Amino acid sequence: MGAETSGKIKSLGIDGMRILTTLILLAIASISALGQEANSPPPRAQLTVAQREAREELNRAAAAYKDGDFAEAQRHSEKALALDPTSRVAPLFLARSIHTQYAPSNESPENREKGREAIAAYQRILDTEPTNEEAYKAVAAIYGSMREEELLRVWILQRASNPLFAADKRAEAYAILAGKDWDCSFKITELPENKLVKTRGSESTVVFKKPRRESDFQKAKACAASGLDMAEMSLALDPTLEAAWAYKVNLLTETAKLYEMEQEHGPKSVFLKLADEARLQAEMLSEKRRREQSEAESAESRQQQEEQPHEKVSDGDSAKEKIIERGDLDTVALSKPQLDYPENPKIAHLRGTVKVAIIVDESGRVISARAVGGQLVLRMLAELNARRATFTPTIVDGQPGKISGFLTYEFDFGKPSNEGNSKP
């Protein structure tokens, strides 16, 4: 355990400005969709008077949103929903309008109340559409920015234990909880007073010492034990989820530290061996995924060479078959998580910037991620992160469409764990 100073990477947090930018882009997409809806079936003659008025209110809401008057957009969205309670667009547009008025960095009671109002609006959407990804992630983002950690944990756990969701979605939720538990223990075991570096000649050894306060030690133990449970639940649902294996490695390492603090060297050795085995499994899965991805991208590249380039969408083509180039996608990602990775001496001093070329499908899911430049390990980590990014569906000529572009990741495993790597 002598080289366990690899830095942590920010994960699970969503930057406030990114949320604001994303919501504005979502609104612009909705404006386009509403415009298409107004000129596509069903004809206006088939709508009731109230439905026609609701559509006009939504157009006014979209215009107000585009102009930056989010309170006015909220009022028009509320009117639209009152006129047509069956509308699927109005509830989401209302929630977005309220959400955009919430400022993540503002701790005033009025602003926090606006955040709770946005949560309630998204929850009403989930009452009728339980698997709505945008609503679920928006609530998680608001809880995170409000630092409501217990409510956020309950929110994520509800998804993890909900059989309405696909197994892979539930596995991801359990993995997030495992990561939070690991972070809880890590912040205690890595405190300078608990992690001592002893030097003899040219060799340095890390020794973990039990915290002065018994309550801190018990908290770390409880978090590590809970995290291992969450990781195992995640892997039971999806044995191939690399994030769950990565957190399992971290949590097994944490448990070994805690046994060392109690001078229980036998159990410590057992958990270090288990961590090594889990790390090997994670590396095998990563290599397999990368190999399959490379093969798929090679096949896709050959197919694209036989077809006309997809830069533009012609009137006669289906938008679903086209890929729209958007360039930098960092600011428009609905979520861009950066996962924590197992402590590993091999990556302890790696740092650098990696760009990842991605393709996003009609549902907003990344279906292709290929790192451009950078060290091999960092390319693999960047691709793993990029595949977990999500986007709002893109509307082109009234139809869902694919987009391409790139995401940028900064890595610095050489930073001390308490410098610039804390999670919200």
Side-chain angles (χ1 to χ4, degrees), residues 102-103 106-117 146:
Y102 167 71
N106 186 339
E107 293 294 328
S108 69
E110 295 79 10
N111 185 61
R112 290 181 70 85
E113 181 58 34
K114 182 60 69 173
R116 286 188 283 269
E117 185 182 352
M146 294 175 73

Side-chain angles (χ1 to χ4, degrees), residues 164-176:
L164 289 176
F165 288 93
D168 61 334
K169 296 292 185 182
R170 295 174 61 196
E172 288 176 1
Y174 276 123
I176 290 172

Side-chain angles (χ1 to χ4, degrees), residues 37-52:
E37 183 180 333
N39 297 305
S40 60
R44 293 177 63 86
Q46 296 181 14
L47 300 174
T48 66
V49 173
Q51 287 174 326
R52 286 198 294 272

Side-chain angles (χ1 to χ4, degrees), residues 240-412:
T240 66
L241 184 58
E242 293 172 65
W245 281 106
Y247 284 129
K248 183 175 180 178
V249 173
N250 281 356
L251 287 155
L252 289 167
T253 304
E254 281 300 300
T255 306
K257 293 180 190 177
L258 294 166
Y259 274 116
E260 179 179 337
M261 289 177 174
E262 292 188 297
Q263 302 297 309
E264 296 282 351
H265 297 292
K268 169 193 168 183
S269 298
V270 171
F271 277 91
L272 286 178
K273 182 178 179 181
L274 291 172
D276 287 339
E277 292 174 355
R279 184 179 291 108
L280 178 60
Q281 181 65 30
E283 291 172 352
M284 289 173 58
L285 286 170
S286 178
E287 179 58 30
K288 179 182 177 183
R289 173 191 54 77
R290 183 172 176 81
R291 185 170 58 251
E292 292 175 346
Q293 178 181 327
S294 178
E295 293 172 355
E297 289 177 352
S298 296
E300 183 177 353
S301 177
R302 288 194 298 271
Q303 181 179 358
Q304 288 179 351
Q305 290 175 2
E306 299 172 358
E307 298 175 352
Q308 184 177 356
H310 292 119
E311 271 81 16
K312 295 182 180 180
V313 178
S314 63
D315 294 338
D317 290 329
S318 168
K320 286 186 178 180
E321 298 175 354
K322 298 299 178 181
I323 302 177
I324 309 301
E325 174 60 43
R326 290 289 175 84
D328 184 358
L329 297 176
D330 285 294
T331 58
V332 300
L334 192 60
S335 68
K336 185 192 170 188
Q338 285 194 210
L339 305 174
D340 292 300
Y341 297 95
E343 297 179 10
N344 189 331
K346 294 180 180 179
I347 66 173
H349 304 293
L350 295 182
R351 57 181 55 83
T353 301
V354 180
K355 284 191 174 183
V356 184
I358 65 170
I359 297 176
V360 182
D361 70 8
E362 297 86 353
S363 69
R365 182 176 62 90
V366 176
I367 58 174
S368 174
R370 179 175 55 82
V372 181
Q375 300 178 72
L376 175 61
V377 173
L378 297 187
R379 293 203 306 269
M380 293 174 65
L381 297 182
E383 290 175 1
L384 178 61
N385 281 327
R387 283 189 167 274
R388 283 158 175 77
T390 58
F391 296 79
T392 186
T394 299
I395 303 298
V396 180
D397 291 341
Q399 297 292 330
K402 294 179 181 178
I403 62 172
S404 66
F406 60 86
L407 296 173
T408 303
Y409 290 90
E410 299 284 347
F411 296 99
D412 189 351

